[in-house]
Amino acid sequence: MLKRNEPTFRESVDMMFNRAVALMDLSPGLEEKIRVCNATYTVRFGVRLRGDIQTFTGYRSVHSEHMEPVKGGIRYAMSVNQDEVEALAALMTYKCALVETPFGGSKGGLCIDPRQYEEHELERITRRFAYELAKRDLINPSQNVPAPDMGTGEREMAWIADQYARMNTTDINARACVTGKPLNAGGISGRVEATGRGVQYALREFFRDKRDVDKANLQGTLDGKRVIVQGLGNVGYHAAKFLSAEDGAIITGIIERDGGLYHPGGLDVEAVQHWLTRHGGVSGFPDATYSPEGAALLEEDCDILIPAALEGVIHLENAARIKAPLIIEAANGPITASADEILRDKGTVIIPDLYANAGGVTVSYFEWVKNLSHIRFGRMQRRQEEARHQLLLDELQRLDDYLGDAWSISPDFKQKYLKGAGELELVRSGLDDTMRIAYQSMREVWHDRADVGDLRMAAYLVSIDKVAASYRAKGL
Ligand code: NAD
């Protein structure tokens, strides 16, 4: 994907970091301590499959242990390599600091195309990989807690959790060794949708401040905005679904591995997703224009571009042709450092990855807390809250009876007001709060500091400041 003269993913992240620390007053030693990746473990292991031994290469990188456990997803893709996991681990450090989840940054990956394997084969491979990592404490509730990423999901997390539990039979907190598990294996409601949901909450917060909307030369709200999404996987699908179903955005383009779909009147996200699941691609989908050159759709006219697949898709060669005035980086590192510069010069507003896709780690944090506290959120308060609401409703009902035709309680008010918050409502509320507060901290720096011209720098400044404070508190 990367063109000549283009920095690698890790170099891109370092360049963005360097641009930020140039505006800060950190000692050179502390600056270097924060920038470098602490350790990367490479493992090669064999699994007997289809009558032969196949060798796999996996990585787990720990970028910063200023807080522990460290946290970050495990990716299954053929493109996985040391440079990539180290870049992703660094982003995790900055992301966790920005949204105030108490973790250092880590990331893992396995060099594999999961689509080439049967489910039972993937289970054996995943369990073996988990075993290799767990025996070195690279999976551990108090030291290193993975989560899903590209190519992995609830199923893989359940295998990892079970493998860890088998190896640590007396660890009462074993379930907290990994997040993104299915609900029946210690997961939390709302984790699957969390990253896409976070993208939606981020955009809502962006559109709440006219100054930000003006900077992107846009107007109004999310309603009617034309959106192009790249990657209809976990993150892209949920973001596109929520933005179209709940905020009135029009999904005009969807880009997948085998090409892109375009419909100026809006694509039916659910229908495209069903098609993708059934056919393994988007080609042949009715009611849209299909082009095998998916990446070209990134350059199509739209209001908001959401790259939600992989890194480096906006690079030196296509950056100048990107028309979207607003890009939200749902994927990690979709814009290279060189492309970032071209886009900034053009005035494109970029909501950066370390903030935009932080919904996943935020809800992972809630899941980890749930696992450690061994109780579902809302279990103690919900009915009590409903009983108190009932008291108020009874009083309102008396008023309603007394006033007769002059006033009455709105028909659906009772039902809405009575319902106490369950786990999903609490998770969404916690996620919304997190995304708003983190955005506001970036916005403040963006607007208040003359030397900060973009949201990415604002995000790095806020987050590096917090990481530096942690290191200083440790006496470094
Ligand atoms: P996923 O595997 O569920 O989905 C990725 C999608 O992108 C798939 O539908 C795949 O077919 C598509 N894709 C792959 N290559 C493509 C290409 N060249 N062009 C167009 N589409 C392509 O992965 P995901 O979990 O949705 O992750 C997507 C991105 O979001 C990654 O960068 C990941 O690091 C980031 N992210 C994910 C989470 C999470 O909670 N899953 C959290 C934070 C960040």
Side-chain angles (χ1 to χ4, degrees):
M1 186 69 63
L2 286 180
K3 306 291 175 283
R4 262 188 305 152
N5 304 325
E6 195 91 63
T8 66
F9 188 9
R10 195 181 53 74
E11 286 165 353
S12 257
V13 174
D14 281 352
M15 284 163 78
M16 291 165 181
F17 174 91
N18 291 344
R19 200 156 67 82
V21 290
L23 305 175
M24 299 177 78
D25 192 19
L26 298 182
S27 73
L30 183 54
E31 198 182 295
E32 181 66 2
K33 176 70 207 85
I34 298 174
R35 181 192 301 107
V36 296
C37 179
N38 287 5
T40 301
Y41 172 68
T42 307
V43 60
R44 295 181 187 86
F45 58 90
V47 182
R48 182 168 282 281
L49 297 167
R50 304 172 195 180
D52 204 356
I53 293 177
Q54 285 191 31
T55 302
F56 297 89
T57 305
Y59 304 88
R60 186 79 184 157
S61 180
V62 176
H63 174 259
S64 174
E65 291 150 294
H66 67 288
M67 285 198 187
E68 283 182 305
V70 292
K71 190 122 191 44
I74 288 184
R75 171 176 290 198
Y76 281 6
M78 286 309 289
S79 56
V80 163
N81 58 50
Q82 181 169 345
D83 185 276
E84 184 184 78
V85 285
E86 290 188 356
L88 291 164
L91 280 175
M92 282 307 297
T93 296
Y94 309 134
K95 191 178 305 186
C96 290
L98 183 65
V99 295
E100 298 187 329
T101 52
F103 303 124
S106 181
K107 201 81 179 193
L110 189 63
C111 213
I112 186 175
D113 179 357
R115 292 169 304 169
Q116 303 305 319
Y117 293 91
E118 302 280 334
E119 185 168 4
H120 68 95
E121 294 174 324
L122 275 175
E123 178 174 352
R124 290 181 62 193
I125 299 164
T126 302
R127 284 184 180 277
R128 183 60 204 267
F129 185 31
Y131 169 81
E132 295 293 337
L133 296 182
K135 76 177 182 192
R136 290 169 180 87
D137 285 335
L138 289 165
I139 296 177
N140 183 302
S142 57
Q143 291 197 28
N144 198 322
V145 183
D149 193 74
M150 223 168 99
T152 58
E154 286 188 329
R155 182 184 65 177
E156 287 73 16
M157 301 307 115
W159 292 332
I160 292 173
D162 186 62
Q163 184 63 34
Y164 179 86
R166 287 184 191 191
M167 295 165 70
N168 298 273
T169 49
T170 55
D171 184 349
I172 195 169
N173 292 321
R175 279 184 156 181
C177 75
V178 65
T179 57
K181 303 178 290 291
L183 208 48
N184 60 12
I188 192 166
S189 307
R191 174 59 184 89
V192 176
E193 65 169 43
T195 312
R197 188 58 91 180
V199 170
Q200 175 196 32
Y201 290 160
L203 282 171
R204 282 185 181 172
E205 185 56 26
F206 174 88
F207 278 95
R208 276 192 195 105
D209 194 321
K210 191 171 173 314
R211 293 173 302 168
D212 298 9
V213 183
D214 285 347
K215 276 188 189 259
N217 272 324
L218 288 167
Q219 274 147 25
T221 64
L222 270 168
D223 192 28
K225 292 289 175 293
R226 298 160 306 149
V227 178
I228 294 181
V229 183
Q230 183 188 41
L232 205 64
N234 179 308
V235 180
Y237 161 68
H238 285 103
K241 174 172 130 170
F242 297 141
L243 288 169
S244 56
E246 298 172 13
D247 295 294
I250 304 164
I251 311 300
T252 52
I254 291 178
I255 308 166
E256 257 296 326
R257 289 175 204 265
D258 66 324
L261 298 175
Y262 186 72
H263 187 338
L267 293 156
D268 179 340
V269 177
E270 289 293 346
V272 178
Q273 211 257 350
H274 281 138
W275 186 272
L276 181 62
T277 315
R278 267 206 322 277
H279 303 276
V282 290
S283 103
F285 180 78
D287 312 324
T289 311
Y290 168 77
S291 157
E293 286 302 315
L297 251 189
L298 292 169
E299 301 165 22
E300 190 57 54
D301 195 22
C302 66
D303 299 311
I304 305 170
L305 180 61
I306 311 186
L310 61 169
E311 58 264 18
V313 293
I314 300 176
H315 42 73
L316 270 176
E317 288 187 9
N318 63 1
R321 294 194 300 272
I322 301 289
K323 296 191 192 66
L326 175 62
I327 304 178
I328 178 158
E329 296 183 317
N332 283 306
I335 301 176
T336 65
S338 350
D340 191 59
E341 198 177 330
I342 297 172
L343 291 166
R344 275 187 281 121
D345 288 348
K346 282 198 333 161
T348 310
V349 173
I350 300 167
I351 304 181
D353 46 10
L354 65 154
Y355 165 71
N357 64 40
V361 74
T362 301
V363 177
S364 274
Y365 167 45
F366 301 156
E367 179 177 334
W368 180 73
V369 170
K370 174 185 177 180
N371 293 152
L372 295 178
S373 59
H374 301 267
I375 187 165
R376 149 171 68 78
F377 288 109
R379 183 164 174 180
M380 303 293 277
Q381 317 86 315
R382 184 176 183 163
R383 303 301 163 193
Q384 194 259 357
E385 194 186 324
E386 285 180 2
R388 279 159 48 100
H389 287 182
Q390 185 64 56
L391 279 177
L392 186 67
L393 277 178
D394 291 346
E395 284 304 294
L396 279 176
Q397 187 59 56
R398 275 195 332 112
L399 193 64
D400 189 338
D401 295 344
Y402 175 72
L403 291 173
D405 290 343
W407 182 84
S408 65
I409 303 172
S410 318
D412 59 347
F413 175 77
K414 272 191 189 175
Q415 206 193 349
K416 278 194 192 155
Y417 189 69
L418 253 187
K419 194 171 177 282
E423 187 169 81
L424 184 59
E425 289 80 16
L426 290 169
V427 163
R428 285 181 180 162
S429 147
L431 175 59
D432 192 9
D433 185 60
T434 304
M435 296 307 289
R436 287 193 205 203
I437 302 267
Y439 187 92
Q440 286 158 12
S441 66
M442 295 191 301
R443 177 187 280 144
E444 206 179 295
V445 175
W446 190 27
H447 290 296
D448 291 357
R449 279 187 63 160
D451 56 351
V452 176
D454 60 309
L455 275 168
R456 192 188 310 278
M457 270 316 94
Y460 271 92
L461 286 181
V462 173
S463 109
I464 296 170
D465 208 35
K466 290 183 178 166
V467 179
S470 285
Y471 275 122
R472 285 199 198 97
K474 281 172 183 254
L476 265 175

